[in-house]
Amino acid sequence: MMDWSDCIHKRFIKETRIDKNLINSLIKSSENKLKSNERLEIDEFTASTKVSIVYDSLREILEALAIKKGYKIYSHECFSAFLEEICKNKSLSLEFDKFRKIRNAINYYGEDVPVGEAKFIIKDVILLRKKILNML
């Protein structure tokens, strides 16, 4: 996992102005993804898709939090560093990174998540999203 200084050095992070409209838009988009997730029945065909949808919802909340703190982050891996080093929360960082790896396995390696496992992942991602939303 990259640390904050690696992310800055590789230009995956830049300082930005706080944009309340963008923050609100990201929150709304995140909520829409959760609503879409709720409408989609879970089965062997949709389990991995549902995991990806809730992950995207989580990532948008993280992006909103980063913008609120004056950062634009261009790498999902750097959100872990952001949580650990800027937000001072290593446990949230590790939890996010676990879900990032699951999502990457789905999106980049074609892995499927079994229905039972997907139900637990979705529940845990939504809980993490709530914790990060409370930081906003």
Side-chain angles (χ1 to χ4, degrees):
M1 184 167 64
M2 281 191 280
D3 67 15
W4 189 250
S5 61
D6 290 336
C7 291
I8 291 171
H9 179 72
K10 292 180 180 181
R11 299 177 192 239
F12 292 144
I13 297 171
K14 75 173 187 176
E15 290 188 16
T16 191
R17 67 179 179 81
I18 297 169
D19 183 338
K20 293 184 188 244
N21 289 330
L22 178 55
I23 291 167
N24 290 334
S25 177
L26 287 164
I27 292 168
K28 182 175 175 153
S29 178
S30 173
E31 290 169 355
N32 289 343
K33 284 183 173 67
L34 281 185
K35 289 175 186 171
S36 297
N37 172 65
E38 290 168 4
R39 290 181 176 192
L40 188 60
E41 293 294 324
I42 192 163
D43 60 29
E44 64 192 72
F45 303 106
T46 63
S48 295
T49 301
K50 286 176 65 79
V51 169
S52 290
I53 290 170
V54 296
Y55 172 86
D56 285 344
S57 175
L58 168 62
R59 192 219 22 95
E60 285 178 326
I61 292 299
L62 271 170
E63 188 172 344
L65 180 61
I67 290 167
K68 182 179 179 186
K69 293 190 178 277
Y71 298 102
K72 176 67 178 161
I73 300 175
Y74 296 97
S75 164
H76 290 220
E77 191 172 357
C78 293
F79 282 112
S80 296
F82 169 76
L83 285 168
E84 181 172 350
E85 298 181 43
I86 301 303
C87 298
K88 307 292 185 210
N89 198 319
K90 186 172 178 95
S91 66
L92 291 182
S93 170
L94 293 172
E95 196 173 353
F96 173 77
D97 204 53
K98 175 180 71 173
F99 298 132
R100 179 188 66 80
K101 290 174 184 174
I102 292 168
R103 180 262 189 183
N104 285 356
I106 294 167
N107 284 14
Y108 303 124
Y109 303 106
E111 291 188 19
D112 283 324
V113 179
V115 173
E117 187 178 336
K119 288 178 182 178
F120 286 111
I121 293 167
I122 291 164
K123 180 178 153 250
D124 289 346
V125 170
I126 291 171
L127 286 174
L128 178 58
R129 181 190 173 277
K130 286 179 185 174
K131 291 176 190 174
I132 293 170
L133 189 58
N134 287 334
M135 297 167 69
L136 271 167

